[in-house]
């Protein structure tokens, strides 16, 4: 356990879409260099929670701190300004289920885009930085191809490089392997695992239970907008204390049996 | 049987070419002006502020639901009185045609922008882009490719709409044609030649648009 303050702190977070309460009083922390996996059935609110951490979804109530930046929300508080939001998001990397690469730009341009236009790095520096990130995900030889020529797994690795090029304090993964063909999942998981080994603070929404058990040091299990159970990854996955967690995991193990 | 004699038009070739030049220059000006207005109106339509959306919608419907001929006359005779300014026929024509085109361009541009997957602006936002930067660097370049055929279709209509400025005595191709017809007593040859001139310019453009549309469908 580190003694320094956690990198991410979420306090009493609430979010509703219309009448539907998606997040009901969520509290959790991620230590610096920690990897937390968010597990739970679909509709449990885990993706919304992840999107709240970089404020792609603005919470109704509660507080979020990442690094030294804190945002508090509530009916009497003014929502954050566009520029504050943008500056904050530039320090958190996010990887999406559908990659969301920019199809009108080459792989290299995808990775350089934010360093040039958001961080305002000189083009040369941005290019060096982008090439280094592509090297890290093993795709520097694809730098000048267009995204449409890549496989799903390669696209997702480019998306990871693109997020890393902003040199973020934390990385958020939103079901990063769910849209991939089964044989392409492992190359993306290996890339994420490498990041974990490098000490990146990460929150990972995933359905890959075995991967969560392997890479995450903590898991947070959610259902119906609340945290049902949380704890050290292996212990919580191997010996869940709560009935809801057991039920969810048992579905999963059944699903994976054929292998 | 009428005896056609197009050779008579050769005497007026400079007048007609001048008219053609003005028609082309007018089209260029109202296409550029109209697209600027259309882009502004489209961005207002997509704004989160209700007042901007309402203003933009009001503008678009006002120009879409009245005839361009009425607008031209209104801009020339009514607007200067209401605003206490004077306007040349050219200024009134440019303004009316740009606004008219802008109303149609706005819908095309809005449609192109919303057709881009929401994940694209999310990815931009997640990288720390402001909505304006994401629009400029991520959304518009992609939307533009899809918008080219319908924007060109509308511009082809705009090219033909310039013929209406002759009612304000702007010396475009049609206006010069009227002069030639009066002077030569050869209206059949004159207007036939003018129709052929419009066709010769627009037909290749419609072929180009058709090809672009086919390419977009297959990609």
């Amino acid at each position: 356990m580190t003694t320094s303050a956690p990198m991410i702190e979420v306090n009493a977070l609430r979010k509703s879409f219309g009448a539907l309460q998606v997040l009901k009083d969520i509290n959790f922390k991620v230590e610096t260099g920690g990897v937390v996996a968010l597990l739970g059935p679909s509709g449990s609110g885990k993706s919304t929670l992840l999107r709240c951490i970089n404020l792609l979804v603005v919470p109704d109530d509660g507080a979020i701190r990442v690094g030294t930046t804190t945002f508090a929300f509530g009916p009497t508080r003014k929502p954050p300004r566009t520029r504050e939001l943008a500056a904050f998001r530039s320090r958190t990397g996010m990887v999406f289920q559908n990659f969301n690469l920019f199809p009108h730009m080459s792989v290299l341009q995808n990775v350089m885009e934010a360093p040039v236009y958001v961080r305002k790095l000189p083009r040369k520096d941005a290019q060096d930085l982008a090439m280094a990130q592509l090297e890290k995900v093993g795709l520097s030889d694809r730098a000048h191809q267009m995204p449409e020529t890549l496989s799903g797994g390669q696209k997702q690795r480019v998306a990871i490089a693109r997020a890393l090029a902003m040199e973020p304090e934390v990385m958020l993964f939103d079901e990063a392997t769910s849209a991939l063909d089964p044989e392409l999942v492992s190359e993306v998981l290996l890339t994420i695992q490498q990041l974990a080994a490098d000490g990146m603070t990460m929150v990972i929404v995933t359905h890959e239970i075995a991967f969560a058990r392997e890479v995450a040091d903590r898991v947070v299990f959610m259902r119906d907008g609340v945290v049902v159970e949380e704890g050290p990854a292996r212990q919580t996955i191997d010996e869940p204390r709560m009935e809801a967690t057991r039920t969810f995991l048992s579905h999963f193990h059944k699903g994976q049996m054929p292998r | 049987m009428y005896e056609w004699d197009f050779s008579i038009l050769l005497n007026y070739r400079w007048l007609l070419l001048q008219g053609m030049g003005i028609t082309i220059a007018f089209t260029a000006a109202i296409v550029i002006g109209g697209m600027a207005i259309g882009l502004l109106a489209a961005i207002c339509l997509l704004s989160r502020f209700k007042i901007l959306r309402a203003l933009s919608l009001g503008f678009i419907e006002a120009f879409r639901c009245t005839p361009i001929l009425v607008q031209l006359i209104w801009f020339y005779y009514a607007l200067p009185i209401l605003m206490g300014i004077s306007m040349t026929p050219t200024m009134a024509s440019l303004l009316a045609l740009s606004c008219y085109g802008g109303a149609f361009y706005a819908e095309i541009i809005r449609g192109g922008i919303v057709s881009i997957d929401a994940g694209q602006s999310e990815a931009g936002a997640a990288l720390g882009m402001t909505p304006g930067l994401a629009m400029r660097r991520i959304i518009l370049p992609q939307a533009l490719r899809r918008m080219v055929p319908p924007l060109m279709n509308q511009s082809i209509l705009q090219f033909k709409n310039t013929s209406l400025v002759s009612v304000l005595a702007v010396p475009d191709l049609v206006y010069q044609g009227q002069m030639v017809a009066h002077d030569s007593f050869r209206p059949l040859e004159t207007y036939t030649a003018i129709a052929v001139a419009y066709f010769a310019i627009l037909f290749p453009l419609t072929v180009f648009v058709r090809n672009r549309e086919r390419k977009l469908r297959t990609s």
Side-chain angles (χ1 to χ4, degrees):
Chain A
M1 216 59 199
T2 50
T3 48
S4 61
M7 178 64 93
I8 302 175
E9 220 173 331
V10 172
N11 277 317
L13 201 72
R14 288 171 204 279
K15 178 68 190 179
S16 299
F17 292 117
L20 183 69
Q21 252 195 301
V22 185
L23 298 176
K24 310 166 186 168
D25 191 23
I26 301 282
N27 295 281
F28 87 110
K29 293 177 180 138
V30 185
E31 301 299 327
T32 303
V35 178
V36 169
L38 285 179
L39 305 179
S42 40
S44 59
K46 54 194 192 308
S47 271
T48 305
L49 174 55
L50 192 77
R51 280 153 184 267
C52 279
I53 296 176
N54 72 349
L55 302 184
L56 270 188
V57 171
V58 178
D60 300 330
D61 212 334
I64 287 170
R65 183 178 64 76
V66 175
T68 55
T69 313
T70 307
F71 286 99
F73 304 91
T76 59
R77 290 175 190 275
K78 269 199 282 183
R81 292 163 175 279
T82 311
R83 296 220 159 260
E84 287 174 342
L85 277 181
F88 172 68
R89 292 191 191 122
S90 72
R91 298 192 302 271
T92 60
M94 182 172 241
V95 176
F96 299 88
Q97 181 175 351
N98 294 316
F99 331 129
N100 294 341
L101 291 182
F102 306 135
H104 58 305
M105 299 179 186
S106 73
V107 165
L108 180 63
Q109 285 169 328
N110 262 276
V111 184
M112 282 174 64
E113 181 67 16
V116 170
Y117 287 93
V118 177
R119 290 178 68 188
K120 313 239 189 282
L121 292 184
R123 214 152 247 290
K124 177 78 180 64
D125 297 357
Q127 183 165 343
D128 293 345
L129 176 66
M131 284 309 290
Q133 301 308 330
L134 285 171
E135 190 78 47
K136 195 180 251 178
V137 300
L139 288 171
S140 51
D141 55 329
R142 307 288 168 127
H144 298 290
Q145 286 180 222
M146 295 305 277
E148 65 196 18
T149 64
L150 302 181
S151 73
Q154 290 169 333
K155 282 182 193 164
Q156 194 60 296
R157 282 149 65 199
V158 172
I160 293 172
R162 182 175 69 175
L164 288 176
M166 290 301 283
E167 301 184 314
E169 294 174 303
V170 304
M171 285 284 282
L172 310 172
F173 289 86
D174 190 6
E175 301 195 21
T177 58
S178 298
L180 296 176
D181 292 334
E183 73 272 19
L184 302 176
V185 168
S186 66
E187 63 183 74
V188 173
L189 293 184
L190 281 172
T191 308
I192 300 175
Q193 195 163 21
Q194 185 56 48
L195 283 179
D198 291 348
M200 177 64 82
T201 307
M202 299 197 281
V203 182
I204 302 171
V205 170
T206 184
H207 290 297
E208 303 283 338
I209 304 295
F211 173 71
R213 187 182 177 282
E214 189 70 26
V215 174
D217 31 55
R218 293 183 72 76
V219 298
V220 171
F221 179 78
M222 289 179 69
R223 205 180 78 170
D224 299 331
V226 296
V227 173
V228 176
E229 180 168 356
E230 91 166 276
R234 291 186 183 205
Q235 192 186 320
T236 310
I237 288 170
D238 294 344
E239 295 153 28
R241 283 172 287 126
M242 307 301 287
E243 187 55 40
T245 319
R246 267 199 288 276
T247 313
F248 174 72
L249 289 173
S250 70
H251 283 309
F252 248 96
H253 290 318
K254 262 185 224 151
Q256 302 216 325
M257 281 241 272
R259 276 211 235 167
Chain B
M1 189 63 198
Y2 186 77
E3 271 191 39
W4 294 87
D5 179 13
F6 284 99
S7 64
I8 193 91
L9 293 176
L10 280 176
N11 301 331
Y12 301 96
R13 60 184 182 279
W14 295 116
L15 205 59
L16 292 172
L17 276 174
Q18 202 183 37
M20 177 60 94
I22 286 182
T23 290
I24 289 173
F26 240 85
T27 307
I30 63 169
V31 164
I32 292 169
M35 285 198 188
I37 291 171
L39 180 63
L40 186 70
I43 286 171
C44 287
L45 273 183
L46 297 168
S47 161
R48 58 202 161 98
F49 299 111
K50 200 174 174 189
I51 178 81
L52 287 181
R53 292 201 301 270
L55 275 174
S56 181
L57 201 65
F59 163 81
I60 290 170
E61 293 308 332
F63 280 91
R64 280 210 306 193
C65 302
T66 52
I68 176 64
L69 189 54
V70 174
Q71 290 166 21
L72 278 168
I73 296 168
W74 194 88
F75 266 77
Y76 185 53
Y77 293 105
L79 192 64
I81 295 172
L82 293 176
M83 307 268 291
I85 50 169
S86 66
M87 228 190 295
T88 64
T90 306
M91 269 166 66
S93 307
L94 285 175
L95 210 56
L97 281 166
S98 295
C99 288
Y100 178 80
F104 287 91
Y105 289 135
E107 272 302 321
I108 295 169
I109 295 171
R110 188 199 66 85
I113 289 172
V114 299
S115 77
I116 301 299
D117 180 46
Q120 291 288 308
S121 37
E122 269 194 343
L127 287 166
M129 295 186 178
T130 56
L133 180 63
M135 180 59 73
R136 190 161 58 81
R137 294 287 312 166
I138 309 301
I139 309 298
L140 276 183
Q142 295 182 59
L144 213 57
R145 284 192 48 219
R146 297 184 196 182
M147 289 188 283
V148 166
L151 285 177
M152 283 193 67
N153 270 330
Q154 187 59 41
S155 301
I156 286 168
L157 292 179
Q158 285 291 79
F159 186 82
K160 294 189 293 183
N161 286 337
T162 58
S163 63
L164 294 168
V165 301
S166 57
V167 298
L168 299 185
V170 174
D172 77 320
L173 183 57
V174 169
Y175 184 86
Q176 302 292 43
Q178 287 168 356
M179 299 296 110
V180 172
H182 284 305
D183 194 62
S184 64
F185 304 107
R186 286 282 183 177
L188 265 67
E189 283 85 349
T190 312
Y191 289 117
T192 306
I194 286 172
V196 169
Y198 275 102
F199 184 88
I201 290 180
L202 289 184
F203 182 65
L205 287 177
T206 62
V207 171
F208 176 78
V209 172
R210 227 187 293 272
N211 282 337
R212 276 297 293 249
E213 275 172 344
R214 200 170 39 231
K215 254 191 223 142
L216 271 180
R217 258 201 308 278
T218 53
S219 75

